Amino acid sequence: MIRCLAIDDEPLALQQLVTYINKVSFLELAAQCQSALEARQFMEHDTVDAIFCDINMPDLNGMDFVKSLAAPPLIVFTTAYSEYAVEGFKVNAVDYLLKPFGLQDFQRAANRLKDRLTNTPAADIPLTSNDDTLFLKTDYRIVKVSIGGIRYIEGMSEYLKVWIEGEAKPIITLLSMKKMEERLPDTFMRIHRSYIVNLTKIQEVNKNRIIMDANTYLPIGDLYKEKFQAYLNTKFLGK
């Protein structure tokens, strides 16, 4: 199933989107929002595979909303203004639905979403090289990452935040914790269902948490305590 977010400030148009999503067997409605600001709040704590988004909305238009996302899902824009089509494809929109559109047009856009998701292996598995690097897909780009420079990795639903030393913002990539864990050397350890840590970057261990710096405290999950304690025992000096 493709989880979708529907966004439109016009109630009737939003209802039409919802109705059409529910008519397509491989689409699942995750949420419906009447503004980009409401959608932004939803995206802060949840993820979707695709967004059907109106462009011309007050406060924050759909185009700027999509550009503001660190790791945007697949996008289908909907609008009554054809002049937005070129700009829409500049941000890699999968399709563009000109209002008023019917179910046939919507089905075409849905099929394109399905094709894009089933034919993009790079979104699932990072490319690797023989040296100390990974290549991760983010924001429709593929970026090179030094494994040694990774401080820790934070899981958030289907995405990962890869925190790099010296960088204020993480790299956000569509990838599972398991896939990432398989690619990393033994200098990394899973300490929680949502965290993998670079053991060489730990500054302090305080009870059930790891301190990376003055502002970063990572919890040690119950299922991972024994393994992490065993690692500490091999490094511990003193009585």
Side-chain angles (χ1 to χ4, degrees):
M1 296 291 286
I2 301 175
R3 296 187 76 239
C4 302
L5 176 63
I7 312 169
D8 202 305
D9 63 310
E10 299 177 8
L12 291 178
L14 181 60
Q15 184 56 51
Q16 182 189 51
L17 271 178
V18 170
T19 299
Y20 286 171
I21 288 171
N22 290 332
K23 285 181 178 292
V24 178
S25 61
F26 54 83
L27 297 184
E28 175 188 352
L29 181 66
Q32 52 182 299
C33 301
Q34 285 192 272
S35 72
L37 295 178
E38 182 183 350
R40 176 184 282 174
Q41 291 179 343
F42 173 83
M43 294 291 288
E44 287 176 357
H45 61 80
D46 207 339
T47 58
V48 293
D49 302 307
I51 296 177
F52 291 88
C53 183
D54 186 28
I55 294 178
N56 195 29
M57 295 185 289
D59 298 323
L60 178 66
N61 70 49
M63 194 72 65
D64 290 339
F65 163 68
V66 171
K67 290 177 181 178
S68 73
L69 296 175
L74 298 180
I75 305 295
V76 174
F77 283 119
T78 66
T79 184
Y81 303 94
S82 59
E83 60 266 29
Y84 284 119
V86 174
E87 188 178 0
F89 286 115
K90 283 182 180 179
V91 296
N92 285 325
V94 174
D95 208 347
Y96 175 96
L97 292 170
L98 185 64
K99 297 178 180 179
F101 55 87
L103 180 58
Q104 185 175 354
D105 294 324
F106 183 87
Q107 182 74 61
R108 180 201 68 219
N111 288 337
R112 288 182 176 177
L113 284 176
K114 185 178 181 181
D115 290 342
R116 183 76 67 89
L117 283 170
T118 56
N119 292 303
T120 314
D124 299 320
I125 303 175
L127 305 177
T128 62
S129 63
N130 293 326
D131 58 8
D132 185 32
T133 56
L134 290 174
F135 287 88
L136 299 175
K137 187 175 182 181
T138 180
D139 290 339
Y140 299 102
R141 298 176 295 122
I142 295 178
V143 297
K144 183 179 180 180
V145 175
S146 170
I147 294 176
I150 298 173
R151 298 177 64 231
Y152 66 96
I153 296 151
E154 179 181 359
M156 51 175 210
S157 188
E158 299 170 345
Y159 291 84
L160 298 181
K161 289 182 179 180
V162 182
W163 293 90
I164 308 295
E165 197 164 42
E167 299 292 336
K169 294 183 179 181
I171 294 172
I172 300 179
T173 185
L174 179 60
L175 191 66
S176 70
M177 290 286 278
K178 182 180 179 182
K179 288 286 187 182
M180 177 61 83
E181 198 173 7
E182 290 172 352
R183 299 284 184 161
L184 294 172
D186 56 10
T187 50
F188 288 79
M189 184 179 290
R190 183 86 170 262
I191 60 161
H192 187 276
R193 62 185 297 272
S194 299
Y195 292 101
I196 298 172
V197 65
N198 186 338
L199 298 170
T200 68
K201 305 296 183 183
I202 295 174
Q203 289 190 2
E204 185 178 335
V205 179
N206 188 333
K207 295 183 179 179
N208 292 325
R209 62 182 183 175
I210 290 172
I211 300 174
M212 304 298 291
D213 56 47
N215 300 311
T216 307
Y217 299 78
L218 307 180
I220 303 171
D222 291 340
L223 295 177
Y224 306 91
K225 285 180 181 178
E226 184 176 350
K227 183 178 179 180
F228 182 70
Q229 186 61 52
Y231 163 76
L232 285 184
N233 292 341
T234 65
K235 301 294 182 180
F236 187 77
L237 294 178
K239 296 181 180 180

